Amino acid sequence: MAEKRARLDPGSDMKINWRNESEKRKEQKKKWREENLLKKLEKAQLQKAEAEKRAQEKEKKKADNGCQYTLSVALPGSILDNAQSPELRTYLAGQIARACAIFCVDEIVIFDETGEGSKSMEGNFEGVGKKGQACVQLARILQYLECPQYLRKSFFPKHPDLQFAGLLNPLDSPHHVRIDEESEYREGVVLDRPTKPGKGSFANCGMRKEVQIDKQLQAGLRVTVQLHEDKPEQKVRKGIVVSPQHPRTESGVYWGYRVRLASCLSAVFTECTFKDGYDLTIGTSEKGSSMEALTLPAFRHALVVFGGLQGLEASVDSDQNLDIEEPNVLFNYYMNTCPGQGSRTIRTEEAILISLTALKPRIEAASCQAKES
C-alpha cells in the first residue's frame, strides 16, 4: 500500500508511462476482439454443421417416409360396354376405382381400343351406349369418386353419367378427410371472397373454419393445402399451397389418383405426363410368362396395362400407330398373373385385383432397393 501511494505521489521520482499503458490496453483490446471473432466463427461453423446435419436427417426422413415412385394403371374404357345397364356400368366403374385406391395407384389411364376415342371430357352427352362414350363415362365416374365429398358440388354439376354414382361405395382414401379429423394436408377449393392486399385467398377445405392460403389464386381452383398449427385466437386456419404429390413424396401418404384419357394404346406411352416417361412397363395376359421368378428392378414410374374383353391383342390390332404382331414387345415384362385359371375369361376389374396383389410385394421390394442404393 505504501508503494502504491509513493507511486501516485506527484513528488515521487516514479512516473507512469501513459503511452506504454495505452499501447498495452490497445493490444489487450485487439486480443479480446480476435478471441471474440474466433468464438463467433466457431459458433457459426457449429451452427452450419448442425443445419447441415438437420438437412441430412430431413432428407433421410423424407427418403424413409416418403414414397418416391408412382404406380399407373391403364385399361380400355370399352369394358363398360360389357355391362347391361347404366346402373351396372356405374357399379363396374366403382369397382375399378376401389381396386386402384386399395393398391395406392397414382394414375389411371383410360384408352380407347377402337382407336376412335375422345381425349377430352368436354362435349354433349350422347348416351352411354354410343361408341367411344364409354371411355368418357368411366373417366368421369373415376374422377367423381376420387374427389372428396365436400368438394364434389364445386366440380361436378349434374350429369347423366353420374346419375347413379351416389350409390357407389366411397373410396375412403386418406385425402377424404372428415370435418373434425386432424390432418396435416387437405384438399380445398379457392373461394370467391375478397381479401386484403398482400394476403392470400380463402379456401374451403371441408373444415368448420375457412383456410387462408399463402397465395392469391383464381376462385374455383382445386388446391392441396398443408395446414399450419391451429391457434385458438385465430379466426381462420392458415396454410400453404403445395403440389398434389407433396403428401406422397414428403410423408408417404397416398393422396388419390389422377385420370388421363388416351385415344389408343400407343398414346398411353407417348403422352405420358412424367418427364422421362415410364421406366417400368408390365403387360398382363393369359399368354404371358409366369410370375414365380419375377424380380422387378428399381424404378421411378411403373405402368401396368390391362386388356379388354379380347385382351391386349385387340388393342394392338386396332392401333394404327403400331406395326407389330404381338403386344409383348411393347412391355418390359409380359406376365400371366393368374396361371391355371378356372374360368375362360378374367374380367378386367378382377384382373386388376389379382395382378396388383401379385405385384405389390415385388414393387415394394424394388422401392426398398432404390432407397438403399
Side-chain angles (χ1 to χ4, degrees):
M1 198 71 176
E3 288 180 8
K4 189 173 183 184
R5 285 195 188 128
R7 191 178 177 189
L8 295 177
D9 187 357
S12 173
D13 292 336
M14 299 177 63
K15 294 183 179 179
I16 299 173
N17 191 335
W18 294 108
R19 182 176 292 179
N20 290 342
E21 288 293 326
S22 178
E23 290 295 330
K24 286 180 183 178
R25 287 178 185 175
K26 284 180 182 178
E27 287 294 328
Q28 192 68 30
K29 285 181 180 178
K30 186 179 177 182
K31 188 178 178 182
W32 288 340
R33 281 197 297 267
E34 288 175 354
E35 287 176 355
N36 287 335
L37 187 61
L38 284 171
K39 285 178 181 177
K40 285 180 181 178
L41 285 172
E42 287 175 3
K43 188 178 179 182
Q45 287 176 352
L46 224 102
Q47 288 175 343
K48 186 180 178 182
E50 287 177 359
E52 287 176 355
K53 187 178 178 182
R54 283 196 298 268
Q56 288 174 358
E57 287 176 355
K58 187 177 179 182
E59 286 296 321
K60 187 180 178 184
K61 187 178 178 182
K62 176 182 173 181
D64 292 340
N65 296 337
C67 179
Q68 305 304 316
Y69 70 86
T70 64
L71 175 62
S72 301
V73 161
L75 66 155
S78 60
I79 61 172
L80 291 194
D81 293 333
N82 196 37
Q84 290 78 21
S85 67
E87 294 93 333
L88 290 176
R89 287 189 185 94
T90 304
Y91 184 70
L92 174 55
Q95 286 181 295
I96 300 292
R98 285 281 302 169
C100 290
I102 288 169
F103 288 98
C104 301
V105 171
D106 301 291
E107 180 190 40
I108 304 176
V109 187
I110 302 164
F111 64 91
D112 189 349
E113 62 181 356
T114 66
E116 300 177 1
S118 172
K119 290 172 62 177
S120 170
M121 300 285 286
E122 305 298 329
N124 297 323
F125 179 73
E126 298 179 6
V128 294
K130 299 292 183 181
K131 188 176 182 180
Q133 289 302 307
C135 294
V136 177
Q137 187 191 26
L138 177 56
R140 185 173 281 114
I141 296 173
L142 291 177
Q143 287 182 335
Y144 176 85
L145 289 174
E146 186 277 335
C147 184
Q149 287 87 336
Y150 57 86
L151 295 180
R152 287 176 181 170
K153 286 184 180 179
S154 301
F155 297 108
F156 294 93
K158 286 187 178 181
H159 193 281
D161 282 347
L162 303 173
Q163 183 180 0
F164 301 103
L167 302 175
L168 295 175
N169 297 319
L171 299 188
D172 205 19
S173 295
H175 67 301
H176 289 201
V177 190
R178 293 163 180 79
I179 188 168
D180 291 320
E181 186 179 348
E182 284 297 321
S183 175
E184 183 181 359
Y185 304 97
R186 276 183 178 262
E187 289 293 292
V189 58
V190 179
L191 300 174
D192 186 10
R193 174 178 162 181
T195 57
K196 295 178 182 179
K199 299 290 184 179
S201 302
F202 287 91
N204 171 23
C205 294
M207 306 169 69
R208 299 188 187 278
K209 292 181 180 180
E210 293 176 347
V211 177
Q212 188 168 29
I213 55 180
D214 59 327
K215 298 177 183 177
Q216 278 281 357
L217 298 175
Q218 183 182 350
L221 283 178
R222 179 173 168 177
V223 289
T224 304
V225 180
Q226 185 176 14
L227 297 171
H228 294 160
E229 187 179 351
D230 189 20
K231 296 179 181 178
E233 65 272 13
Q234 289 181 337
K235 292 182 180 179
V236 294
R237 287 292 295 270
K238 302 277 187 178
I240 59 172
V241 176
V242 296
S243 164
Q245 287 79 42
H246 192 275
R248 172 180 61 83
T249 57
E250 295 293 329
S251 304
V253 180
Y254 176 62
W255 211 246
Y257 55 76
R258 58 183 175 179
V259 181
R260 175 165 68 92
L261 282 169
S263 56
C264 54
L265 177 59
S266 59
V268 174
F269 301 91
T270 58
E271 297 172 5
C272 175
T273 56
F274 300 113
K275 184 180 178 181
D276 298 320
Y278 303 108
D279 52 353
L280 175 64
T281 56
I282 302 172
T284 60
S285 170
E286 61 179 2
K287 299 178 182 178
S289 306
S290 173
M291 289 189 62
E292 288 181 7
L294 176 65
T295 302
L296 297 178
F299 65 92
R300 289 297 304 277
H301 306 292
L303 171 69
V304 185
V305 183
F306 299 90
L309 298 175
Q310 306 300 321
L312 284 172
E313 291 76 12
S315 303
V316 169
D317 291 340
S318 64
D319 194 331
Q320 298 178 359
N321 300 319
L322 295 176
D323 187 20
I324 56 175
E325 296 292 332
E326 296 294 331
N328 61 339
V329 299
L330 290 173
F331 308 99
N332 300 125
Y333 300 93
Y334 197 59
M335 311 306 300
N336 180 4
T337 56
C338 187
Q341 61 193 59
S343 173
R344 290 189 182 90
T345 56
I346 294 178
R347 297 172 65 90
T348 304
E349 65 272 23
E350 298 167 341
I352 292 175
L353 288 168
I354 294 168
S355 301
L356 294 184
T357 299
L359 287 170
K360 186 176 176 64
R362 293 172 169 85
I363 288 172
E364 289 179 347
S367 68
C368 291
Q369 179 186 342
K371 284 181 181 180
E372 289 171 1
S373 60

